[in-house]
Amino acid sequence: MVEKSHERSAAFGLSTIDKPDFNPLAKSDLSAVIEQNQALHTYALPVMETLYEQIVNTHNMVILTNAQGVIMHALGDDDFLEKANRVALTPGVAWSEQLRGTNAIGTALAEGVPTLVNADEHYLRANHILTCSAAPIFDPRGAVIGVLDVTGDCNTFHRHTMGLVRMSAQMIENQLFTAAYQDGITLHFHSRPEFIGTLMEGIASFTPGGRFISANRSAMFQLGLSPQALSVNTLNSLFGLGVPALYDHYRTAAPGLLNMCLSSGVRVYARASVRLSNNTIFSSEIGHPVAPAGTAKQHAAITESETSYRLSSLRYLNTGDPQMTAIITKLNKVNGRDIPILITGETGTGKELLAQAVHNDSPRAHGPFVAVNCASIPETLIESELFGYEDGAFTGARKKGSTGRILQANGGTLFLDEIGDMPLNLQARLLRVLQERMVTPLGSAKSIPVNVSVICATHRNLREMIAGGEFREDLYYRLNGLVVKLPPLRERTDFEIVVNKLLAAEGNGEHYSISPDVMQMFKQHNWPGNFRQLSNLLRTAMVMTGNDGEIRMEDLPDDFLDDVKSLKKEVPAQLTVAVDQAPNHTTLEDVELSVIQKALQAHGGNVSATARALGISRNTIYRKIC
């Protein structure tokens, strides 16, 4: 492929020694290009941000182009963005083969297939510093409408990057497909039921009468037919299922997955939905026509303070910190689009508060919000707590049984906090519920349809748990739609605003303030318990203040002051040793780097633990060592 591309590049009249052409489109022209590709741009941005989070701090950038190779959007590490600017890899610049020679973006557009171009495989010598992995993005009719690309320093080449790019491009395609064919019958299918609802599923769209309209690439591959061949088919000819039989299936009390046979003899499983002019006739996600979600009792359980949580005005989470602003922007883009959300972050960073705000800003706001802490429920009880049970299901069970938290959340949002602590055997049951949208209580042979949006949270590293066999990989990818990581309190740039907000919230109308020396000490502290620790500390200190309401050193608990003193002794001691051992003419920056490297070694490479020990942020450590 690269050799043919080089031949095309030469035929275009390009020379390998040509200099980069720095002629980006004017802002107004770029805005017009984005407007012309509005659907692609809208659905790609959240996916790009999620992709970037997986490669952050690796000297890479994520790029979206239109069908002509014009870069519409890019985001990446600051250090690499500067290098990219030197070769005109910026928004508004076209990277087609005709203009830039062989490169992943242009060649992917020319060939219509995922393309990897590394270092000197680029036609122009100026681009030999790059390694690029690009995948074309197809619209629901099968035409290439753009490219998703990850470009980085050629010295940081990773083979897994192409896989991430291809998966992300497929995610964009599936969202574009679902948005384009909202009216009619939509079938989600695969030969393996656990793949339904994942990137691997086939999606086919039919008219209400069953005539074929379109299919995504996975569907065409599974069906083994070209778009032209598919166009003359129907639901019945492809899957052996007529429209009346489909309707009958969903009229049953507890419809499960459809079990069908393709004309090739391959058996597939499917879920279906029929929508006409935005009215749901039926959907396998709910099992029956839409009914008002929740009950008066469930609604009454949501307090006024909980319903006041909103992403736009979220007490101490949305107060000006750039990291939090970016997180809330992402959540606003995916909210209500049936994309799973996984919230990560240290304990006490506000994961449940954020989940409640997502629910209150979603179309499910009038339904119940049910929170389950998987770490706080004994392993012997968590199954019955989640899935419910029938009368007499086990010794000690209530006479009338129990609904279970999942069914309590029907029509609303189920928040699974500390999902990493869920036992492995229950992870398999949860995966089945998420795939089939059906719950079978303990002791029951009857499956009950359930319609819930799932938000999960954890302070643990699920990828490490997967590697250690402690967490199911298939469940991880089922939950891993949009991953957001809440920054710890010590990394917040709006710390003083947060403190004042907490004082106002806890003050019951009384005015409280922080003395300057206490505020300075607060800013330098690690806050391992984050908001939970800060809130409890302030509540105690407010009780101890004098008539003026100002919190001073003497109002703070002794154990907190002891922690601060021990930290102050530890860090200077490390710096002193480093300075004493440093050679002559060593700069302060070298000393800082030496301290960080030794601390990292002492903590087994754990950046978070090192940051806490040194009293600095994780970002500072990454900046110093990279």
Side-chain angles (χ1 to χ4, degrees):
M1 184 192 302
V2 171
E3 186 177 344
K4 289 183 179 179
S5 176
H6 278 224
E7 291 174 359
R8 289 196 298 267
S9 301
F12 292 138
L14 298 174
S15 170
T16 58
I17 59 173
D18 285 347
K19 301 297 182 184
D21 181 13
F22 295 91
N23 286 310
L25 295 177
K27 285 187 178 180
S28 59
D29 293 333
L30 178 58
S31 297
V33 170
I34 293 173
E35 183 65 30
Q36 292 164 6
N37 296 270
Q38 189 60 51
L40 172 62
H41 190 260
T42 298
Y43 287 105
L45 291 195
V47 177
M48 291 176 69
E49 289 164 356
T50 301
L51 174 58
Y52 174 60
E53 286 180 355
Q54 298 180 65
I55 60 171
V56 67
N57 295 321
T58 58
H59 306 289
N60 279 281
M61 65 188 295
V62 183
I63 297 167
L64 175 70
T65 81
N66 68 355
Q68 289 71 46
V70 176
I71 298 176
M72 296 191 292
H73 187 65
L75 65 160
D77 299 337
D78 290 340
D79 56 348
F80 184 74
L81 288 177
E82 292 179 8
K83 182 179 289 187
N85 286 336
R86 297 201 291 268
V87 292
L89 196 61
T90 57
V93 177
W95 274 70
S96 63
E97 278 190 345
Q98 291 90 330
L99 298 174
R100 308 283 163 177
T102 304
N103 70 90
I105 294 171
T107 305
L109 286 171
E111 298 283 349
V113 295
T115 303
L116 170 65
V117 178
N118 185 42
D120 58 5
E121 291 178 338
H122 288 88
Y123 188 75
L124 299 184
R125 290 180 187 172
N127 297 332
H128 287 186
I129 61 172
L130 307 175
T131 183
C132 311
S133 302
I137 301 170
F138 294 84
D139 71 8
R141 290 165 297 280
V144 176
I145 57 171
V147 167
L148 184 68
D149 170 85
V150 169
T151 290
D153 190 306
C154 65
N155 296 318
T156 60
F157 171 70
H158 296 286
R159 293 191 177 276
H160 70 275
T161 303
M162 177 56 83
L164 292 174
V165 173
R166 293 179 67 172
M167 289 174 60
S168 300
Q170 194 169 349
M171 186 181 298
I172 297 169
E173 290 176 6
N174 285 355
Q175 292 181 19
L176 286 168
F177 186 96
T178 303
Y181 299 109
Q182 294 187 357
D183 282 0
I185 300 172
T186 302
L187 204 66
H188 301 256
F189 67 95
H190 200 279
S191 58
R192 295 176 60 180
E194 64 269 23
F195 283 169
I196 296 175
T198 71
L199 292 176
M200 306 303 294
E201 72 175 359
I203 309 175
S205 181
F206 301 84
T207 66
R211 182 174 57 82
F212 176 83
I213 300 175
S214 187
N216 70 349
R217 284 195 286 163
S218 177
M220 287 188 283
F221 175 78
Q222 293 184 63
L223 293 168
L225 296 172
S226 66
Q228 293 76 18
L230 285 170
S231 65
V232 298
N233 276 275
T234 64
L235 177 65
N236 195 15
S237 65
L238 290 172
F239 294 95
L241 181 74
V243 173
L246 183 67
Y247 274 70
D248 288 342
H249 175 80
Y250 284 103
R251 288 194 184 102
T252 60
L257 290 176
L258 291 158
N259 189 336
M260 302 178 296
C261 188
L262 303 180
S263 57
S264 62
V266 175
R267 186 157 295 281
V268 297
Y269 300 87
R271 60 180 178 86
S273 64
V274 171
R275 291 181 175 87
L276 299 177
S277 301
N278 295 322
N279 292 320
T280 301
I281 306 303
F282 66 77
S283 171
S284 63
E285 295 184 2
I286 53 179
H288 48 74
V290 176
T295 65
K297 182 178 179 181
Q298 289 171 325
H299 286 205
I302 302 175
T303 66
E304 184 179 350
S305 62
E306 288 173 330
T307 57
S308 66
Y309 297 156
R310 292 287 186 273
L311 289 173
S312 58
S313 56
L314 194 52
R315 201 192 290 176
Y316 51 75
L317 291 185
N318 189 16
T319 52
D321 178 76
Q323 296 177 82
M324 285 307 308
T325 300
I327 287 171
I328 290 170
T329 299
K330 294 176 189 176
L331 289 170
N332 277 323
K333 289 178 180 178
V334 303
N335 204 1
R337 295 181 180 271
D338 199 28
I339 294 176
I341 296 171
L342 176 62
I343 306 171
T344 66
E346 296 178 10
T347 182
T349 49
K351 295 187 284 292
E352 182 171 348
L353 191 67
L354 184 63
Q356 177 77 65
V358 171
H359 167 77
N360 291 341
D361 274 350
S362 76
R364 299 174 178 267
H366 295 294
F369 176 84
V370 178
V372 181
N373 190 312
C374 301
S376 66
I377 304 174
E379 186 171 338
T380 54
L381 297 179
I382 190 170
E383 184 173 19
S384 59
E385 188 76 12
L386 274 178
F387 302 98
Y389 55 86
E390 292 283 289
D391 180 13
F394 54 88
T395 303
R398 296 175 188 168
K399 283 189 176 181
K400 294 184 179 180
S402 174
T403 305
R405 298 294 186 87
I406 295 176
L407 283 173
Q408 287 174 12
N410 190 33
T413 300
L414 177 67
F415 174 57
L416 297 175
D417 198 5
E418 300 304 347
I419 186 69
D421 291 279
M422 178 176 283
L424 267 174
N425 63 312
L426 293 193
Q427 291 176 27
R429 282 204 66 185
L430 176 62
L431 179 64
R432 181 171 292 276
V433 169
L434 296 179
Q435 288 168 347
E436 299 182 358
R437 305 286 180 152
M438 307 286 287
V439 175
T440 306
L442 292 178
S444 174
K446 177 184 176 183
S447 295
I448 305 170
V450 65
N451 171 26
V452 295
S453 174
V454 177
I455 301 176
C456 296
T458 183
H459 73 283
R460 305 180 69 178
N461 188 322
L462 296 184
R463 289 182 179 274
E464 290 182 358
M465 293 182 67
I466 291 170
E470 301 174 272
F471 198 84
R472 291 181 65 104
E473 187 173 18
D474 48 6
L475 178 60
Y476 173 77
Y477 287 113
R478 193 69 157 102
L479 302 173
N480 185 21
L482 173 67
V483 181
V484 295
K485 183 174 183 180
L486 290 179
L489 187 57
R490 61 183 170 275
E491 294 182 9
R492 296 282 293 264
T493 59
D494 55 351
F495 181 85
E496 198 163 334
I497 299 174
V498 167
V499 171
N500 290 327
K501 286 252 186 183
L502 285 173
L503 287 176
E506 301 288 350
N508 295 321
E510 299 289 332
H511 177 72
Y512 292 90
S513 61
I514 307 282
S515 67
D517 57 336
V518 170
M519 182 62 78
Q520 184 61 32
M521 181 179 65
F522 279 2
K523 290 179 178 179
Q524 295 174 347
H525 191 57
N526 280 332
W527 300 107
N530 293 290
F531 291 106
R532 191 174 292 121
Q533 179 188 9
L534 176 61
S535 181
N536 287 335
L537 179 72
L538 291 177
R539 193 178 296 118
T540 302
M542 288 160 69
V543 175
M544 306 300 294
T545 57
N547 294 331
D548 61 355
E550 184 179 63
I551 296 176
R552 301 182 177 88
M553 287 289 186
E554 57 268 26
D555 301 320
L556 302 176
D558 290 343
D559 60 339
F560 175 76
L561 293 174
D562 290 341
D563 288 344
V564 172
K565 289 176 184 176
S566 64
L567 180 63
K568 284 184 176 180
K569 290 177 181 177
E570 181 181 347
V571 175
Q574 294 180 35
L575 287 171
T576 301
V577 171
V579 170
D580 290 344
Q581 295 177 351
N584 293 335
H585 309 297
T586 300
T587 65
L588 180 59
E589 185 175 357
D590 291 335
V591 173
E592 289 177 341
L593 180 59
S594 174
V595 170
I596 291 172
Q597 289 173 336
K598 289 179 179 177
L600 275 170
Q601 187 176 5
H603 289 88
N606 189 314
V607 176
S608 296
T610 303
R612 285 194 293 272
L614 296 178
I616 58 179
S617 73
R618 293 168 73 249
N619 287 344
T620 300
I621 292 178
Y622 283 124
R623 189 171 63 251
K624 294 288 185 182
I625 65 177
C626 292

